[in-house]
Amino acid sequence: MPASGEGGEDLWQSILSGVTSQQAARTQFKPKNLLVLGDEGSGRSTLIDRLRGRKSASTEASLGTGLEYTYIDVQSEDADEIVSRMGVFTLDGNPEHKNLLQFVLNRDSIADLVVMIVVDLSRPWTIAESLQTWTSVLQEQVESLFSDTEADQDILQQLKDKVVKYVAAYQAQSVATEPSPVDNEGAEGEGETLEAGGEPEGETAKADESTVADDDDDDDLLLPLDADVLTVNVGIPIIIVGAKADASTQLEQDRDYRNEHFDFIQMHIRSFALSYGAAVFYCGREAKNKDNLYRYLLHRAYDKDMPFKAQPNIGERDAVLVPSGWDSSTKIGLLSDGFKTIDAADAFEEVIVAPVSRLAAVKSEVEAEDEQEFLKKQQGLLGKPREESESVPRPTAAVARAPASRSSPRLGRRETPAAGAAGAPPAAGAPQQNADVLANFFNSLLSNSRGGAAPGAAPAAQPPAK
């Protein structure tokens, strides 16, 4: 039934206004891209599937060689509509394919790019090298885009200033919402709990953090960063994701890891992230932190259009959440309070030692000697070849071994062979007979390999010598 009257016109007007606002919302979200870096088998494909809303990695979604592409739907804050799509580029786990980054990370796209570096928490001994490798690859690619000219350096500096501005603004909000000792005492009994980082949970804190991007317009109010914060600025937002965070139980059983080991790993990752101004997220199979990672990813890509309201969390081993700008050396240093057998100053590879592979334990490959070569060597040790021994009359053992008459330099008389030189006793010839038997045995094996007679058969007659 068609609408009529003033009420019907208002209804149609509201519908048209709603459609117009939806179209305007879609056009205001400029396409963004996500670049995913990490070692082979670190859990990148599964993580991307989770961000896309899939439960597990499917066959067609498994990563191949080179540069893989997919996308993530960008949902509005209330998750009732898809306002855009974010392109997801995943580089092969081999750094030798870094030349493909030119198709994703270039002068035209760098301002609309977010980088995610995935490390494997089930193999924590690979984390330090992995972080160093992929940040070096990223930094090398960014530096190759800009020359030393003043114009190029100005563009690069603008990108770096944007990252500094965000970190400083979030840091200022964290200091402003940090409860004092008096507040901590008064928080008990009032229904307000504190996280490990000292941030209060509640609508006030969430509102303050969601307005970080709105309050960062006044640069004069921002304090300078600490000396160890953002010491390496590549001009791109970075998120470090620890995949397979639920592997801690297996590490406790197989590698005898304790809480201090996991705290040491977290301390290293957060310290590394602090120097790059990066955020840190832990994710496992249960996807406990997946929604927070998804929202933070959109927040770094679309800034104040996608506010991030989740609280930092460093108390749960498999759901660590450290936004960029929240962390500090003081907060990271608190992890070392629980160390008993580990020193915070120890090198990472000295504490988190890689297991010795069985293949690595074998220093060199052992090659078996050719069978015929082995038999020939034994033949030379045992006696003369069979053909020669049959064509030449075999002397008796005693004659063969009888020494010639010679003068004794001491006695001045001639020595003669022992009695019975014309014929040796049976015992004296036994070793030579045994050697002949073994020689015949090896000769028969050699004859078989050359197509000769079977073992035990009479040998072929030799032609007479000419």
Side-chain angles (χ1 to χ4, degrees):
M1 185 175 185
S4 61
E6 184 178 354
E9 293 179 358
D10 293 341
L11 176 61
W12 283 110
Q13 186 67 30
S14 63
I15 293 175
L16 292 174
S17 300
V19 173
T20 303
S21 62
Q22 290 179 2
Q23 292 178 348
R26 291 184 180 182
T27 56
Q28 73 177 356
F29 284 89
K30 184 179 179 181
K32 305 287 185 175
N33 291 322
L34 171 66
L35 174 61
V36 182
L37 304 175
D39 295 339
E40 200 70 35
S42 59
R44 297 165 299 159
S45 58
T46 301
L47 179 63
I48 294 172
D49 278 344
R50 293 291 177 85
L51 293 175
R52 297 187 65 194
R54 299 183 179 184
K55 292 184 179 180
S56 60
S58 57
T59 304
E60 65 271 13
S62 58
L63 299 179
T65 302
L67 189 65
E68 294 289 322
Y69 172 79
T70 185
Y71 64 88
I72 296 176
D73 291 330
V74 178
Q75 298 179 346
S76 58
E77 187 177 0
D78 49 6
D80 59 350
E81 76 170 310
I82 298 175
V83 297
S84 183
R85 282 181 174 177
M86 173 181 288
V88 180
F89 296 87
T90 305
L91 186 67
D92 185 271
N94 191 343
E96 292 182 358
H97 293 91
K98 61 183 179 180
N99 61 310
L100 298 175
L101 289 177
Q102 59 182 318
F103 301 106
V104 185
L105 179 52
N106 48 59
R107 293 172 64 98
D108 298 329
S109 64
I110 187 173
D112 301 313
L113 187 67
V114 178
V115 175
M116 180 185 297
I117 301 177
V118 182
V119 295
D120 188 356
L121 291 176
S122 67
R123 298 180 299 161
W125 47 87
T126 65
I127 292 177
E129 183 179 359
S130 180
L131 288 175
Q132 190 62 48
T133 297
W134 293 112
T135 51
S136 299
V137 169
L138 178 63
Q139 188 174 1
E140 179 181 347
Q141 177 62 22
V142 172
E143 292 177 351
S144 66
L145 300 178
F146 302 96
S147 62
D148 295 333
T149 62
E150 184 177 354
D152 278 10
Q153 290 302 312
D154 287 343
I155 297 175
L156 180 58
Q157 190 60 44
Q158 290 177 9
L159 296 172
K160 293 182 177 181
D161 291 343
K162 185 178 179 181
V163 177
V164 173
K165 193 175 182 180
Y166 179 89
V167 173
Y170 202 110
Q171 208 171 51
Q173 290 291 338
S174 299
V175 173
T177 57
E178 191 84 27
S180 63
V182 177
D183 296 333
N184 288 343
E185 295 176 1
E188 298 181 0
E190 296 180 3
E192 187 178 28
T193 59
L194 296 177
E195 292 293 325
E199 294 286 351
E201 288 186 351
E203 297 299 328
T204 303
K206 291 183 179 181
D208 289 339
E209 292 184 5
S210 65
T211 58
V212 169
D214 296 331
D215 296 337
D216 63 358
D217 295 331
D218 193 353
D219 296 343
D220 296 335
L221 300 179
L222 300 180
L223 298 175
L225 300 177
D226 295 339
D228 52 357
V229 178
L230 201 58
T231 56
V232 183
N233 190 349
V234 296
I236 303 176
I238 300 176
I239 305 174
I240 297 177
V241 178
K244 307 178 186 180
D246 46 8
S248 57
T249 303
Q250 194 68 27
L251 290 172
E252 288 176 336
Q253 297 174 358
D254 298 342
R255 304 284 297 167
D256 196 24
Y257 277 26
R258 298 179 296 276
N259 288 334
E260 58 180 344
H261 290 89
F262 299 110
D263 289 342
F264 185 81
I265 295 171
Q266 183 187 145
M267 182 180 69
H268 180 83
I269 295 177
R270 288 171 59 187
S271 298
F272 190 91
L274 186 67
S275 62
Y276 280 83
V280 177
F281 282 78
Y282 278 16
C283 293
R285 292 181 181 177
E286 298 181 359
K288 185 184 299 184
N289 225 10
K290 187 262 296 183
D291 292 336
N292 289 331
L293 176 59
Y294 173 78
R295 281 295 159 192
Y296 188 78
L297 175 61
L298 299 184
H299 169 62
R300 293 311 309 267
Y302 295 98
D303 208 359
K304 61 183 179 182
D305 293 326
M306 290 288 181
F308 182 70
K309 301 179 180 180
Q311 291 290 298
N313 180 14
I314 57 176
E316 295 184 69
R317 183 187 297 174
D318 58 346
V320 173
L321 192 165
V322 181
S324 177
W326 177 84
D327 220 346
S328 65
S329 297
T330 303
K331 295 175 182 177
I332 297 174
L334 296 177
L335 292 170
S336 62
D337 293 344
F339 291 173
K340 297 180 180 179
T341 61
I342 299 176
D343 190 343
D346 290 342
F348 186 83
E349 59 274 8
E350 294 179 358
V351 177
I352 309 301
V353 182
V356 179
S357 174
R358 293 183 178 180
L359 295 178
V362 180
K363 295 183 178 180
S364 60
E365 183 179 358
V366 178
E367 295 184 0
E369 185 179 6
D370 182 72
E371 179 183 3
Q372 298 303 317
E373 294 295 331
F374 171 77
L375 294 176
K376 288 180 180 179
K377 290 182 179 179
Q378 301 306 315
Q379 183 186 51
L381 295 175
L382 292 173
K384 296 180 179 180
R386 182 175 181 179
E387 292 81 359
E388 181 180 353
S389 62
E390 290 180 350
S391 59
V392 180
R394 184 180 302 169
T396 60
V399 174
R401 295 186 296 111
S405 299
R406 60 183 183 274
S407 300
S408 174
R410 291 191 303 167
L411 303 178
R413 60 182 178 88
R414 299 180 61 86
E415 293 182 352
T416 58
Q432 181 64 28
Q433 293 176 3
N434 293 337
D436 292 340
V437 171
L438 291 176
N440 291 335
F441 171 73
F442 283 110
N443 278 319
S444 65
L445 293 178
L446 291 172
S447 299
N448 290 337
S449 63
R450 300 169 184 166
Q462 300 293 330
K466 296 183 180 180

